[in-house]
Amino acid sequence: MSATQPVDESVRVRVPAKINLSLAVGPARPDGYHDLATVFQAVSLHDELTATWAPPGEVVVKTVGPYADRVADDEDNLACRAARLLMNRHGDGGAWGAHLLVDKGIPVAGGMAGGSADAAGALLACAALWDLDLSPADLRELGAELGADVPFPLLGGTAVGTNRGDELVPVLGRGCFHWVLALSDEGLSTPEVFARFDELDTDPDAPRVPDELLAALGTGEATELAGCLHNDLTAAACDLRPDLARTLELGTRYGALASLLSGSGPTVAFLTAGESQAMDLAHTLRGELGTDAVRRVRGPVSGAKLLQVLR
Ligand code: C5P
């Protein structure tokens, strides 16, 4: 591809949010990260990202949608950094550029890897726009340089994550799970939640994924899965945001099979027995929490996908 490409050439991709069905956290490492053993599940809440051909060297991002005012459209935006990384690593003497339009459906700082999803989307969209011959594994490897949560939205489905959460192995599971998400108006800072975890648990065990969880995913039964959901960051997030304890408790009181903090929070995920139970719970929670910020989603769903290529 050359710099003389038509300016209206564009690629649109869709990238899912994630929840962590289990999140076990080990001690802090010298590099500032923690060893994790986690099981990610991609859920049907998405960001859409459109990359349009731009003059050489130009990478700009514009965020739209309900959470746009909470995202800085600057050079530090993860989507911008992802496009630049791709350009610097595989670039053709600076002949490429991209305008990135991010339509955000995933909450910001919600523990659902929304920023990471945009980085993943930018990698996939720009690789297609610039006609790069990169495999999904190549994109995930680049993604891991941008953040621990970036590779998973590229893979999707359900997967075990180890090391920082960025070394992935897909989980062969069955069925479709119906979740209700209680979103928060205010986000939580992931580094702050991990720092509070370190203060609360000074000698954590080596993290592992429970065998029972993998067995439950094999059955596809929500009732089996409900008994295996766990997040080591729950106490730390609730310490920073005491209102979360009530939200976690409300779901089970009103019919969820289990309540679970998503990642470092503050989003809370409720596992339900099926679609109609999820509809009932979502309705009740809207009233109890006095907010519209309650969503029904299902999982697993596929990872980042090309929706449209206009040439
Ligand atoms: O990789 P990412 O930039 O998304 O991580 C954000 C922060 O979350 C890290 O700087 C670190 O404080 C914390 N983190 C961690 N251990 C992990 C993943 C994230 O401590 N495995």
Side-chain angles (χ1 to χ4, degrees), residues 27-35 163-164 166:
R29 310 189 326 192
D31 66 359
Y33 279 92
H34 294 71
D35 275 326
N163 192 10
R164 300 178 307 156
D166 52 341

mmCIF file of all heavy atoms in Angstrom, residues 27-35 163-164 166:
data_model
loop_
_atom_site.group_PDB
_atom_site.id
_atom_site.type_symbol
_atom_site.label_atom_id
_atom_site.label_comp_id
_atom_site.label_asym_id
_atom_site.label_seq_id
_atom_site.Cartn_x
_atom_site.Cartn_y
_atom_site.Cartn_z
ATOM 1 N N PRO A 27 2.002 -12.581 44.553
ATOM 2 C CA PRO A 27 2.706 -11.429 45.118
ATOM 3 C C PRO A 27 3.145 -10.443 44.037
ATOM 4 O O PRO A 27 3.286 -10.823 42.871
ATOM 5 C CB PRO A 27 3.946 -12.057 45.775
ATOM 6 C CG PRO A 27 3.773 -13.527 45.725
ATOM 7 C CD PRO A 27 2.752 -13.848 44.696
ATOM 8 N N ALA A 28 3.378 -9.188 44.443
ATOM 9 C CA ALA A 28 3.867 -8.164 43.500
ATOM 10 C C ALA A 28 5.242 -8.563 42.976
ATOM 11 O O ALA A 28 6.053 -9.124 43.712
ATOM 12 C CB ALA A 28 3.949 -6.816 44.216
ATOM 13 N N ARG A 29 5.490 -8.281 41.710
ATOM 14 C CA ARG A 29 6.777 -8.625 41.093
ATOM 15 C C ARG A 29 7.645 -7.363 40.993
ATOM 16 O O ARG A 29 7.123 -6.246 41.062
ATOM 17 C CB ARG A 29 6.549 -9.168 39.670
ATOM 18 C CG ARG A 29 5.516 -10.249 39.584
ATOM 19 C CD ARG A 29 5.401 -10.948 38.252
ATOM 20 N NE ARG A 29 5.635 -10.199 37.034
ATOM 21 C CZ ARG A 29 5.345 -10.646 35.817
ATOM 22 N NH1 ARG A 29 4.781 -11.842 35.672
ATOM 23 N NH2 ARG A 29 5.600 -9.940 34.755
ATOM 24 N N PRO A 30 8.935 -7.543 40.777
ATOM 25 C CA PRO A 30 9.812 -6.367 40.655
ATOM 26 C C PRO A 30 9.426 -5.451 39.497
ATOM 27 O O PRO A 30 9.686 -4.253 39.543
ATOM 28 C CB PRO A 30 11.197 -6.983 40.409
ATOM 29 C CG PRO A 30 11.099 -8.395 40.893
ATOM 30 C CD PRO A 30 9.671 -8.814 40.752
ATOM 31 N N ASP A 31 8.771 -5.982 38.434
ATOM 32 C CA ASP A 31 8.407 -5.135 37.289
ATOM 33 C C ASP A 31 7.101 -4.371 37.495
ATOM 34 O O ASP A 31 6.612 -3.713 36.580
ATOM 35 C CB ASP A 31 8.332 -5.976 35.997
ATOM 36 C CG ASP A 31 7.208 -7.002 36.014
ATOM 37 O OD1 ASP A 31 6.478 -7.090 37.041
ATOM 38 O OD2 ASP A 31 7.036 -7.717 35.014
ATOM 39 N N GLY A 32 6.530 -4.461 38.720
ATOM 40 C CA GLY A 32 5.310 -3.703 39.003
ATOM 41 C C GLY A 32 4.031 -4.471 38.697
ATOM 42 O O GLY A 32 2.936 -3.999 39.007
ATOM 43 N N TYR A 33 4.170 -5.632 38.090
ATOM 44 C CA TYR A 33 2.999 -6.463 37.815
ATOM 45 C C TYR A 33 2.852 -7.547 38.885
ATOM 46 O O TYR A 33 3.698 -7.677 39.772
ATOM 47 C CB TYR A 33 3.145 -7.125 36.436
ATOM 48 C CG TYR A 33 2.766 -6.195 35.296
ATOM 49 C CD1 TYR A 33 3.719 -5.403 34.678
ATOM 50 C CD2 TYR A 33 1.451 -6.124 34.849
ATOM 51 C CE1 TYR A 33 3.378 -4.550 33.631
ATOM 52 C CE2 TYR A 33 1.098 -5.278 33.811
ATOM 53 C CZ TYR A 33 2.057 -4.494 33.209
ATOM 54 O OH TYR A 33 1.710 -3.650 32.185
ATOM 55 N N HIS A 34 1.766 -8.308 38.788
ATOM 56 C CA HIS A 34 1.530 -9.470 39.645
ATOM 57 C C HIS A 34 1.349 -10.684 38.747
ATOM 58 O O HIS A 34 0.723 -10.563 37.683
ATOM 59 C CB HIS A 34 0.249 -9.295 40.469
ATOM 60 C CG HIS A 34 0.322 -8.187 41.475
ATOM 61 N ND1 HIS A 34 0.323 -6.866 41.114
ATOM 62 C CD2 HIS A 34 0.400 -8.215 42.831
ATOM 63 C CE1 HIS A 34 0.393 -6.120 42.210
ATOM 64 N NE2 HIS A 34 0.448 -6.922 43.262
ATOM 65 N N ASP A 35 1.856 -11.827 39.192
ATOM 66 C CA ASP A 35 1.519 -13.057 38.473
ATOM 67 C C ASP A 35 0.036 -13.333 38.681
ATOM 68 O O ASP A 35 -0.460 -13.215 39.813
ATOM 69 C CB ASP A 35 2.331 -14.241 39.016
ATOM 70 C CG ASP A 35 3.700 -14.317 38.356
ATOM 71 O OD1 ASP A 35 3.794 -13.970 37.164
ATOM 72 O OD2 ASP A 35 4.657 -14.707 39.041
ATOM 73 N N ASN A 163 0.956 -15.722 33.701
ATOM 74 C CA ASN A 163 1.978 -14.681 33.734
ATOM 75 C C ASN A 163 1.275 -13.376 34.170
ATOM 76 O O ASN A 163 0.680 -13.353 35.240
ATOM 77 C CB ASN A 163 2.682 -14.581 32.374
ATOM 78 C CG ASN A 163 3.940 -13.715 32.450
ATOM 79 O OD1 ASN A 163 4.392 -13.336 33.539
ATOM 80 N ND2 ASN A 163 4.513 -13.396 31.318
ATOM 81 N N ARG A 164 1.276 -12.318 33.361
ATOM 82 C CA ARG A 164 0.561 -11.090 33.757
ATOM 83 C C ARG A 164 -0.918 -11.168 33.378
ATOM 84 O O ARG A 164 -1.642 -10.179 33.498
ATOM 85 C CB ARG A 164 1.168 -9.883 33.051
ATOM 86 C CG ARG A 164 2.636 -9.636 33.344
ATOM 87 C CD ARG A 164 3.125 -8.446 32.542
ATOM 88 N NE ARG A 164 2.817 -8.602 31.118
ATOM 89 C CZ ARG A 164 2.683 -7.593 30.248
ATOM 90 N NH1 ARG A 164 2.824 -6.354 30.644
ATOM 91 N NH2 ARG A 164 2.416 -7.833 28.981
ATOM 92 N N ASP A 166 -1.433 -12.313 30.252
ATOM 93 C CA ASP A 166 -1.272 -12.126 28.799
ATOM 94 C C ASP A 166 -0.868 -13.396 28.069
ATOM 95 O O ASP A 166 -0.806 -13.400 26.845
ATOM 96 C CB ASP A 166 -0.263 -11.003 28.517
ATOM 97 C CG ASP A 166 1.051 -11.188 29.259
ATOM 98 O OD1 ASP A 166 1.087 -11.951 30.241
ATOM 99 O OD2 ASP A 166 2.046 -10.571 28.856
#
